[in-house]
């Protein structure tokens, strides 16, 4: 089975490939349902071409999955020459109006039907096949049993399905709630995720007492309850909402300390059921998340890569287990198996935003060796010796004051790093605060995680060659460590604001 990962920008595309994706899917500005993702523009096709050359055999899928208005089709036509510069292997489409145009202008590029088309039956699959589609990204509202029936009916059609990430409460993501409440249409890529908002219970809600009431009031007459009574009822788990045109279909509501979860679906997670997906006839496993972080893309891709390798007998399940367990260290909500086994599993809601105890602190790139290493080392050494001479030439009282200032403000000290046998120096792009006294962790495509303790690594200014007490975004940094770090290694630290059991709204 193909492993298909999300890539909201060029950087995420690089990590998707590096961490084991067979293919990645991107969006292009104005034509993708994830307009808030960075997406691809200007001359980034050159970087994409380089990545495809670095990872031969990896595929690139492009999402053109909005519902097109006439002016957007005009814009698509005007940008055809630009699109042709990308090494695209497949277009993901929901609007069949653009199919003839794509077939004419991109005859060698496959057509994949977007999950937004909500294709969930074999007759529809046959129809799309006759139109020239080679793959169906199935609607999320489909079971394994139904997938097997489709595959048996149309065995030469590739089937793709979502296996990890957010799952919309609306049918295959075709949500009207966002447009109704905020004027931001999900069908145009502007979803405000209204289903995950925090809804408060009205203080003077009129509720009936009955035999199932959590209020345990002896009166059989309806009354206006107090805020305290309403809170008690909300926390009972007995409250539900019912849509007027669908009597009998109830959605549970649970009032928490500061929120009420109504339509917030759990995330989907199928990593423990890959054999069932294979046996049902799935050809491609899709990870949701073009708006997620580099860290998310890397860790989730890596976990599914290892799980698939174990399924194929390339490694043992014991070898894969630590990588799969790392999914708990990625921002996530409670999970479910969606509609694959039972509709009731997909109906379960959750509350709060996704969260993780880790934060991505830095990206590690190429090792500095030879002349590059020597130049940085000599520069730091020269600055240190210059500072020592300045101290020696200073008046004793001034020198004493300077040394005392160094004790108070340790960041001002001029200290060059020393060469250490067996250590390696790497370029480091800091993204969050890293302190020299921190215990840090490295994760990579080749090893699960390595904890580097104090004394096993140093922060070096990548321009001066001097040791640093801390670094953060925007500071030229190198990391000097005893560990060998493969390409695409990431550095993570514990998030100081994380509290076990308390989910924060971090925006991830």
């Amino acid at each position: 089975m193909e492993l298909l990962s999300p890539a909201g920008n060029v950087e995420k595309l690089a990590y998707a490939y590096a961490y084991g994706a067979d293919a990645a899917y991107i969006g292009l500005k104005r034509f993708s349902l994830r307009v808030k993702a960075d997406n691809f523009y200007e001359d980034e096709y050159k970087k994409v071409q380089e990545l495809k050359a670095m990872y031969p055999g990896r595929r690139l899928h492009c999402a053109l999955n909005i519902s097109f208005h006439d002016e957007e089709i005009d814009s698509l036509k005007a940008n055809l020459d630009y699109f042709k510069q990308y090494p695209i292997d497949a277009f993901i489409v929901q609007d069949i109006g653009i199919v003839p145009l794509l077939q004419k202008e991109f005859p060698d590029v496959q057509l994949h039907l977007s999950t937004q088309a909500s294709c969930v039956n074999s007759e529809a699959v046959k129809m799309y096949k006759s139109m020239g589609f080679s793959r169906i990204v199935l609607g999320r509202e489909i079971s394994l049993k139904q997938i097997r029936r489709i595959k048996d009916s149309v065995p030469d059609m590739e089937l793709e399905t979502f296996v990890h990430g957010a799952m919309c409460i609306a049918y295959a993501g075709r949500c009207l709630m966002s447009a109704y409440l905020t004027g931001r249409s999900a069908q145009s890529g502007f979803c405000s995720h209204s289903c995950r908002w925090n809804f408060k219970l009205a203080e003077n809600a009129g509720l009936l007492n009955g035999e199932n009431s959590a209020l345990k009031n002896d009166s059989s007459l309806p009354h206006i309850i107090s805020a305290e009574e309403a809170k008690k009822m909300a926390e009972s788990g007995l409250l539900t909402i019912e849509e007027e045109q669908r009597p009998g279909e109830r959605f549970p509501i649970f009032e928490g300390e500061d929120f009420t979860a109504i339509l917030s679906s759990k995330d989907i997670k199928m990593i423990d059921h890959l054999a069932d997906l294979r046996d049902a006839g799935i050809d491609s496993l899709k990870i949701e998340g073009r708006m997620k972080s580099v860290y998310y893309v890397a860790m989730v891709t890596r976990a599914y890569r290892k799980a698939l390798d174990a399924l194929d007998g390339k490694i043992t399940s014991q070898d894969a287990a630590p990588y799969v367990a790392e999914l708990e260290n990625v921002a996530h909500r409670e999970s479910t198996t969606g509609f694959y086994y039972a509709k009731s599993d997909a109906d379960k809601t959750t509350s709060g935003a996704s969260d993780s105890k880790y934060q991505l602190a830095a990206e590690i790139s190429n090792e500095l060796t030879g002349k590059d290493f020597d130049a940085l080392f000599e520069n730091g050494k020269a600055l240190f010796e210059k500072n020592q001479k300045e101290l020696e030439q200073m008046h004793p009282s001034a020198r004493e004051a300077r040394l005392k200032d160094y004790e108070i403000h340790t960041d001002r000290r001029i200290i060059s790093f020393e060469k250490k046998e067996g250590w390696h120096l790497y370029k480091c792009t800091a993204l969050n605060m890293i302190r020299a006294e921190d215990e840090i962790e490295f994760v990579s495509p080749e090893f699960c995680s390595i904890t580097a303790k104090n004394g096993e690594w140093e922060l070096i200014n990548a321009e001066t060659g001097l040791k640093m007490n801390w670094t953060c975004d925007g500071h030229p940094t190198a990391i000097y460590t005893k560990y060998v770090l493969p390409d695409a290694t990431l550095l993570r630290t514990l998030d100081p604001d994380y509290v076990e059991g308390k989910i924060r709204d971090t925006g991830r």
Side-chain angles (χ1 to χ4, degrees), residues 84-102:
K84 289 178 180 179
Q85 297 178 96
Y86 281 87
I88 296 170
D89 297 295
F91 285 115
I92 306 170
V93 178
Q94 70 149 320
D95 192 330
I96 61 174
I98 66 169
V99 168
L101 176 64
L102 294 178

Side-chain angles (χ1 to χ4, degrees), residues 59-123:
R59 291 171 54 82
L60 182 70
H61 302 176
C62 178
L64 295 178
N65 53 354
I66 66 169
S67 294
F68 283 80
H69 293 278
D70 280 331
E71 56 270 24
E72 289 163 334
I73 292 181
D74 293 339
S75 180
L76 175 63
K77 291 178 179 178
N79 284 277
L80 286 174
D81 289 339
Y82 170 67
F83 290 167
K84 289 178 180 179
Q85 297 178 96
Y86 281 87
I88 296 170
D89 297 295
F91 285 115
I92 306 170
V93 178
Q94 70 149 320
D95 192 330
I96 61 174
I98 66 169
V99 168
L101 176 64
L102 294 178
Q103 289 174 325
K104 176 184 176 182
E105 299 292 338
F106 301 89
D108 297 324
V109 178
Q110 294 180 350
L111 288 178
H112 294 177
L113 184 72
S114 170
T115 190
Q116 297 293 121
S118 302
C119 183
V120 292
N121 67 76
S122 56
E123 295 305 316

Side-chain angles (χ1 to χ4, degrees), residues 275-402:
D276 289 346
L277 290 163
R278 176 198 60 195
D279 295 344
I282 291 298
D283 298 284
S284 179
L285 306 177
K286 191 169 194 174
I287 298 169
E288 181 274 338
R290 272 187 290 141
M291 291 171 59
K292 297 291 181 70
S293 67
V294 160
Y295 180 68
Y296 175 94
V297 172
M299 293 295 96
V300 176
T301 298
R302 188 181 70 167
Y304 276 83
R305 176 76 276 148
K306 297 298 183 182
L308 279 171
D309 287 348
L311 182 65
D312 293 338
K314 297 177 181 178
I315 61 175
T316 68
S317 57
Q318 290 77 18
D319 291 333
Y323 298 92
V324 173
E326 280 289 332
L327 288 177
E328 293 302 311
N329 292 326
V330 179
H332 65 284
R333 300 178 181 86
E334 291 181 289
S335 62
T336 175
T337 53
F339 291 85
Y340 290 115
Y341 295 99
K343 182 178 179 295
S344 58
D345 294 332
D347 288 341
K348 296 173 183 176
T349 59
T350 188
S351 58
S354 59
D355 207 355
S356 168
K357 68 178 182 179
Y358 285 105
Q359 61 181 3
L360 178 59
E363 298 171 0
I364 310 298
S365 53
N366 56 300
E367 183 177 0
L368 297 173
T369 60
K371 293 181 180 179
D372 293 331
F373 179 96
D374 292 338
L376 192 61
F377 173 77
E378 294 297 334
N379 193 63
K381 184 179 177 181
L383 290 173
F384 173 74
E385 292 174 350
K386 178 182 178 182
N387 179 252
Q388 289 300 109
K389 288 182 179 180
E390 289 177 353
L391 287 172
E392 292 172 1
Q393 296 171 359
M394 293 174 70
H395 187 278
S397 60
R399 182 168 58 249
E400 183 179 354
R402 175 69 62 84

